[in-house]
Amino acid sequence: MLDSVGVHEVALSTQLAGVVERAARGRKVLTVRIEVGVLRQVVPASLDYAWGFVIKGTPLDGAQLDVRWVPAVLRCSCGFEGEMGEEINLLCPRCLAPAEILSGEEFRVTDMDVAR
Amino acid sequence: MGRFHRHDDGTVHSHDHDHRHHHHHDRDHEHGHDHDHPHEHRDVGDHSGYETGRERIEVLEDIFTENDRCAADNRAEFDAHGVECINLMSSPGAGKTTVLQRTLESLGSSVRVGIVEGDIETSIDADRLGGYGAHISLLNTGNGFGGECHLDAPMVRRALDALDLDQLDVVLIENVGNLVCPAEFEVGEHRKAMVYSITEGEDKPLKYPVMFKSVDAVVMNKMDLAPYLDFDMELFKENLRKVNPTAPVFEVSAKTGEGIAQWVQWLVPAKA
């Protein structure tokens, strides 16, 4: 599993665990809800595995990851606004100018459930 | 890309649980679950069956916030000493260290260069850069899980302790050779560049969009091999533009020195 993409998710999970641990302030974490944009190059199965790997044996062990995948939405001054197609392309599909990225680059913790 | 969310073992799930809710179910559970929508777990709802009380905490924090704070401090440190910092990334084997050797040669003594050398193990890269007059601070990342695949801001913070910024004009950070992780981590640089090579094909910008999108310049190395390869430069640039509309491509050969002057001009415009 630790090919270069798997290691990516381990690095991301390590950062994630840091945010979660600080926000938990010692309480037991049950569920962590995150938003991950599709442009972040994250493989879902690798993220699940990496998260489990990173938290194993730590106070976060057992915390479940709940991921909302955020689509890539582009906007262009020509008037186009819409989701990026199947192939990665940040140019406006209508006029081929570089488009503004409205969403799709997120990697953040939105909220989490802790034991009372 | 993470645009699809399936459980690879084919398990389907329901959220109408009367037992503790979690994602990794035993295979002998059977649930009906609505999975034909982008996987939205906004269950603000009913968890009445849980054994333990649970409390929901809002966090709203980007996972890189802590790292980026440290990176901003590093950048402020550079600014306070009038030092420009460039984060140099690449895939392993693109020729980053050789390009750096040529760069140091070209800059000579007119520019005072510091190098933060990131390598998983060994001092091989740092050793190759000795003798050009640059001040080198070596970071071995090998203490992570089998070696960190990237440099982060706290690591660069530590490396700066070994450099006297008063004596430098430019700091070049030679990041770990890796097309994935380094681009995720701000380290305090003013600009990012990457070394690529024509032996790596035309489609990597589409496979590694995070890296190619993040850089302010691409150094295309090994141009001396062009006659022996079917590399399509126009196709590469077309792919690059799909993820990075503005980064210039410097076609160089670290072996022959071709194109190095133009790259160095971009690197240290005020001083080259």
Side-chain angles (χ1 to χ4, degrees):
Chain A
M1 226 338 163
L2 290 182
D3 58 0
S4 64
V5 173
V7 167
H8 180 215
E9 283 76 3
V10 169
L12 295 172
S13 294
T14 304
Q15 294 298 115
L16 178 56
V19 173
V20 172
E21 194 169 3
R22 278 190 298 276
R25 297 184 199 201
R27 287 167 294 182
K28 179 71 182 158
V29 179
L30 303 169
T31 306
V32 180
R33 286 179 204 93
I34 65 174
E35 288 182 342
V36 181
V38 298
L39 296 173
R40 295 311 294 250
Q41 222 174 292
V42 175
V43 176
S46 296
L47 183 62
D48 281 345
Y49 181 90
W51 174 248
F53 173 74
V54 164
I55 64 175
K56 192 178 172 64
T58 76
L60 295 182
D61 204 341
Q64 297 302 315
L65 207 54
D66 188 332
V67 183
R68 181 171 96 85
W69 300 97
V70 181
V73 176
L74 306 178
R75 176 163 69 192
C76 182
S77 50
C78 80
F80 173 82
E81 183 171 324
E83 209 172 305
M84 188 183 76
E86 272 301 306
E87 304 290 313
I88 172 118
N89 193 337
L90 301 179
L91 301 174
C92 173
R94 197 176 287 168
C95 72
L96 301 184
E100 186 191 345
I101 300 169
L102 296 183
S103 72
E105 298 189 285
E106 301 78 356
F107 201 128
R108 66 182 202 145
V109 182
T110 52
D111 57 272
M112 59 193 209
D113 291 347
V114 297
R116 245 188 245 284
Chain B
M1 297 280 176
R3 55 180 70 224
F4 50 87
H5 185 83
R6 67 182 193 288
H7 293 267
D8 289 320
D9 63 1
T11 327
V12 264
H13 307 276
S14 161
H15 283 266
D16 306 323
H17 294 174
D18 56 1
H19 58 88
R20 211 170 71 189
H21 167 62
H22 58 97
H23 278 252
H24 298 282
H25 294 252
D26 302 331
R27 285 166 191 274
D28 52 13
H29 282 202
E30 203 179 74
H31 308 269
H33 183 59
D34 195 66
H35 248 275
D36 54 6
H37 57 98
H39 198 74
E40 295 222 13
H41 277 262
R42 284 296 171 245
D43 40 345
V44 196
D46 179 26
H47 293 282
S48 49
Y50 294 105
E51 308 92 39
T52 52
R54 51 170 62 204
E55 181 189 330
R56 187 179 188 132
I57 311 175
E58 196 170 69
V59 178
L60 296 177
E61 186 176 325
D62 184 288
I63 65 165
F64 295 104
T65 303
E66 195 69 14
N67 178 80
D68 290 355
R69 255 185 221 131
C70 181
D73 289 344
N74 291 347
R75 196 172 300 113
E77 185 81 6
F78 288 125
D79 290 340
H81 293 94
V83 174
E84 171 93 6
C85 176
I86 294 97
N87 185 358
L88 194 60
M89 304 177 287
S90 76
S91 46
K96 182 160 51 28
T97 307
T98 318
V99 167
L100 257 181
Q101 284 176 307
R102 285 292 185 164
T103 302
L104 292 177
E105 254 171 30
S106 177
L107 289 173
S109 51
S110 61
V111 182
R112 300 171 303 167
V113 181
I115 298 183
V116 173
E117 180 56 52
D119 218 350
I120 297 178
E121 302 279 353
T122 84
S123 62
I124 293 177
D125 288 352
D127 293 340
R128 286 175 58 195
L129 297 172
Y132 293 99
H135 302 236
I136 302 178
S137 179
L138 172 63
L139 281 172
N140 280 133
T141 69
N143 295 322
F145 296 115
E148 288 297 343
C149 51
H150 60 273
L151 297 181
D152 63 21
M155 289 177 196
V156 169
R157 164 73 256 164
R158 288 197 293 280
L160 292 186
D161 292 340
L163 293 175
D164 184 355
L165 296 181
D166 280 331
Q167 303 297 318
L168 300 174
D169 301 312
V170 164
V171 166
L172 304 177
I173 298 177
E174 186 178 1
N175 215 311
V176 177
N178 179 326
L179 274 185
V180 187
C181 310
E184 301 270 30
F185 292 87
E186 291 287 309
V187 294
E189 71 275 49
H190 295 99
R191 284 176 292 159
K192 289 178 161 74
M194 68 179 294
V195 178
Y196 192 64
S197 69
I198 61 169
T199 57
E200 298 177 69
E202 298 88 357
D203 60 359
K204 284 201 165 57
L206 305 179
K207 292 185 174 169
Y208 299 95
V210 174
M211 168 65 71
F212 283 87
K213 180 175 184 293
S214 76
V215 297
D216 300 297
V218 176
V219 178
M220 177 68 78
N221 192 27
K222 307 190 185 176
M223 292 305 297
D224 52 290
L225 295 179
Y228 308 103
L229 301 167
D230 289 329
F231 183 77
D232 184 341
M233 183 67 76
E234 284 318 303
L235 178 58
F236 170 80
K237 287 182 176 174
E238 193 183 301
N239 290 335
L240 177 64
R241 291 294 158 250
K242 288 180 178 175
V243 298
N244 188 325
T246 54
V249 178
F250 295 100
E251 296 174 26
V252 310
S253 164
K255 184 178 157 108
T256 66
E258 169 197 344
I260 293 289
Q262 287 88 330
W263 148 247
V264 170
Q265 178 64 36
W266 180 89
L267 195 59
V268 278
K271 282 129 184 177

